[in-house]
């Protein structure tokens, strides 16, 4: 890591790297949950849901890029093996064993809510100590908030269509 870049970090860098690695695992799991969900999902409004799931998958992968880049800048080693992902992640991986669209949406909304909680926490601990990480996490959090809303509004449209809401 660059000398000045390191000097301005006023917090425990090893602890920060551990937290960022957990978030990196979260992002890969989120990526796969969306990607495989888009492949297996069945039910009403399937096409709209598949487009959104695929878009979110690419956005989660981009979050992984952002976090991995920051871990390396901080002098850390990004998690090197997929074996570690479910062991270290903050958020659980929810396999879409029931491919019905409302079930898949429910699982992914739960995942986004966990991501929002996790990133809010990381924002809190980096606000003073590491403005560069803070800025990266803020961009990711902004997109997770958008993801939760996108999925919730799809869920609402499906409920309206099925006459579950008036
Ligand atoms: Fe993400
Ligand atoms: Fe997301
Ligand atoms: Mg979206």
């Amino acid at each position: 890591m660059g000398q000045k870049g390191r000097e301005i970090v006023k917090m425990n860098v090893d602890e920060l790297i551990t937290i960022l690695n957990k978030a990196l695992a979260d992002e890969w799991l989120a990526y796969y949950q969306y990607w495989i969900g888009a492949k297996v999902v069945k039910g009403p409004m399937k096409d709209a849901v598949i487009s959104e799931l695929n878009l979110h998958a690419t956005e989660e992968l981009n979050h992984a890029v952002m976090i991995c880049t920051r871990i390396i800048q901080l002098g850390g080693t990004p998690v090197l093996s997929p074996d570690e992902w479910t062991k270290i992640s903050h958020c659980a991986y929810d396999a879409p064993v029931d491919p019905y669209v409302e079930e898949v949406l429910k699982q992914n909304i739960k995942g986004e809510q966990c991501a929002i909680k996790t990133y809010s926490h990381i924002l809190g601990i980096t606000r003073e100590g590491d403005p560069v990480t803070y800025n990266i996490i803020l961009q990711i959090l902004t997109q997770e908030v958008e993801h939760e809303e996108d999925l919730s509004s799809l869920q609402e449209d499906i409920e309206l269509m099925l006459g579950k809401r008036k």
Side-chain angles (χ1 to χ4, degrees), residues 30 33-34 41 45 48-57 59-60 101-113 116 143-159 165:
Q33 196 176 313
Y34 275 122
V41 70
M45 291 183 57
V49 172
I50 289 173
S51 309
E52 200 66 44
L53 298 181
N54 278 326
L55 177 62
H56 287 196
E59 290 169 343
E60 305 302 0
V101 64
E102 288 183 289
E103 202 47 50
V104 172
L105 285 173
K106 202 169 99 189
Q107 288 179 323
N108 284 304
I109 289 168
K110 198 174 122 209
E112 293 299 342
Q113 288 170 345
I116 290 168
Q143 204 154 43
E144 308 301 13
V145 167
E146 187 190 306
H147 287 172
E148 186 203 19
E149 212 283 316
D150 289 345
L151 300 180
S152 300
S153 88
L154 275 169
Q155 192 183 46
E156 213 179 284
D157 288 349
I158 292 170
E159 285 173 3
R165 282 191 191 204

Side-chain angles (χ1 to χ4, degrees), residues 74-94:
L74 288 166
T77 305
V79 55
L80 296 174
S81 169
D83 288 352
E84 297 179 59
W85 291 343
T86 52
K87 292 181 201 150
I88 68 169
S89 66
H90 297 102
C91 302
Y93 177 78
D94 250 341

